[in-house]
Amino acid sequence: MAVTMAENKMLNYALRALQLIFAIIVMGTGGYAIHVYRGYSSIIHTPDGDFYGYAGVPNAWGFLIFCAAWTVLVVILLIAGNAFADRALIGYIRIAVEVVAVLSWFAGWIAVAVNIGTEACSEGYSSCGALKAAAVFGAVEWLLFMVTATLAFSLFLNSKRQLRTSTT
C-alpha cells in the first residue's frame, strides 16, 4: 500500500500544494509578528560605564521565515524533479532535500515555540498571537514534510530494487 501511495502523483501534488500554502501562511504570520514586535531596551551598569542595550527580534523568528521561503524553492525543485525521476542522482538529491527540509522545519518551530512565554513573547505584546500561529503552522509543515519524506524514501528504495535495462 505504501508503494502505491508513493507512486500516486495526485497525492504528491496535493501534499506539495499544502506545503506551499502552509509556507505562505507561516511567512505571513511570522512576518507580521516580526513587524509589530517592539523590542525592549535596558541600561546595563558596568564598572567602565553605562551600556544601553537593545534586544530586537529573536533570531528564531527569522529562521522560521527562512524555512518558509526555502520551502517555496524546495517544492518547486521537487515538483520539477519529477520529469527526471528515473535518474539515480535526482533520487539522491530528492532524499537529501527532504531530509534537510524535515530537520530545518523541526528546528524552526521548536525554536519559535521555546520563545513563547518568554520576554520576547509575553502577554503584553500583540505579536504573540501571530507567533503562536506561525509555530503551529510550522509544526504542521514539519509533519507534512515527514509524510512526503517517508513517501519519497520508500519510492526511492523500491525503485532501486527494480533492475533497469538499457534501451540500446
Side-chain angles (χ1 to χ4, degrees), residues 105-120:
W105 274 107
F106 183 71
W109 77 266
I110 290 292
V112 169
V114 167
N115 281 325
I116 296 173
T118 62
E119 283 183 19

Side-chain angles (χ1 to χ4, degrees), residues 83-139:
F84 305 104
D86 59 342
R87 309 268 192 228
L89 181 61
I90 297 297
Y92 290 121
I93 291 172
R94 181 177 286 168
I95 295 299
V97 166
E98 290 276 357
V99 168
V100 170
V102 165
L103 293 176
S104 65
W105 274 107
F106 183 71
W109 77 266
I110 290 292
V112 169
V114 167
N115 281 325
I116 296 173
T118 62
E119 283 183 19
C121 182
S122 61
E123 292 299 321
Y125 290 108
S126 63
S127 64
C128 197
L131 189 66
K132 288 177 185 178
V136 168
F137 280 109

Side-chain angles (χ1 to χ4, degrees), residues 22-149:
F22 286 154
I24 292 169
I25 291 172
V26 168
M27 277 193 281
T29 56
Y32 175 75
I34 288 172
H35 175 72
V36 299
Y37 178 75
R38 302 285 186 240
Y40 57 93
S41 58
S42 60
I43 298 175
I44 302 168
H45 302 287
T46 63
D48 296 330
D50 293 340
F51 174 70
Y52 182 74
Y54 176 75
V57 176
N59 293 334
W61 299 9
F63 181 70
L64 194 66
I65 297 293
F66 165 76
C67 289
W70 190 70
T71 296
V72 173
L73 296 175
V74 165
V75 168
I76 291 170
L77 173 77
L78 291 174
I79 289 176
N82 285 339
F84 305 104
D86 59 342
R87 309 268 192 228
L89 181 61
I90 297 297
Y92 290 121
I93 291 172
R94 181 177 286 168
I95 295 299
V97 166
E98 290 276 357
V99 168
V100 170
V102 165
L103 293 176
S104 65
W105 274 107
F106 183 71
W109 77 266
I110 290 292
V112 169
V114 167
N115 281 325
I116 296 173
T118 62
E119 283 183 19
C121 182
S122 61
E123 292 299 321
Y125 290 108
S126 63
S127 64
C128 197
L131 189 66
K132 288 177 185 178
V136 168
F137 280 109
V140 172
E141 188 80 41
W142 171 70
L143 287 174
L144 283 172
F145 267 106
M146 285 292 291
V147 170
T148 57

